[in-house]
């Protein structure tokens, strides 16, 4: 996780087109650090990122798409978890 980017790399296979990097947690051409990543325990391809911009994004790693954006919090997100 560097400069508002997340890399998805599959460790069970050789480097392929399945691995990718994408930009997130950006606002007004400014990149915000990503502080935390949480993986869903049941849906393996689903994860959430939380950043210094006060935003939480939920992602589908398999389809390379953002599923949801939660309402902005007044402070940075330091920790996330799925229950």
């Amino acid at each position: 996780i560097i400069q508002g980017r997340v890399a998805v790399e599959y460790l069970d296979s050789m480097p392929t087109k399945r691995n990718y990097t994408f930009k997130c947690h950006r606002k007004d051409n400014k990149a915000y650090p990503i502080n935390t990543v949480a993986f869903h325990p049941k849906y393996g391809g689903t994860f959430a990122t939380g950043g210094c911009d006060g935003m939480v994004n939920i992602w589908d790693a398999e389809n390379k798409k953002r599923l949801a954006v939660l309402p902005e919090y007044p402070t940075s997100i330091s920790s996330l978890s799925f229950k």
Side-chain angles (χ1 to χ4, degrees):
I1 304 171
I2 298 175
Q3 294 181 351
R5 295 176 190 248
V6 172
V8 176
E9 296 184 13
Y10 292 88
L11 301 177
D12 61 345
S13 63
M14 298 297 288
T16 66
K17 291 184 179 182
R18 289 181 62 198
N19 298 337
Y20 62 95
T21 302
F22 62 94
K23 298 175 184 178
C24 60
H25 296 278
R26 294 172 180 262
K27 189 183 337 177
D28 301 327
N29 292 327
K30 185 175 179 182
Y32 291 88
I34 300 166
N35 298 328
T36 183
V37 177
F39 297 91
H40 196 283
K42 185 175 178 183
Y43 303 106
T46 303
F47 66 96
T49 57
C52 284
D53 58 351
M55 301 296 289
V56 174
N57 295 301
I58 302 173
W59 304 92
D60 178 349
E62 295 294 321
N63 294 307
K64 303 178 183 177
K65 291 187 176 189
R66 181 170 35 204
L67 298 174
V69 179
L70 300 182
E72 186 174 353
Y73 291 89
T75 185
S76 66
I77 308 300
S78 61
S79 179
L80 292 171
S81 69
F82 286 98
K83 289 188 175 190

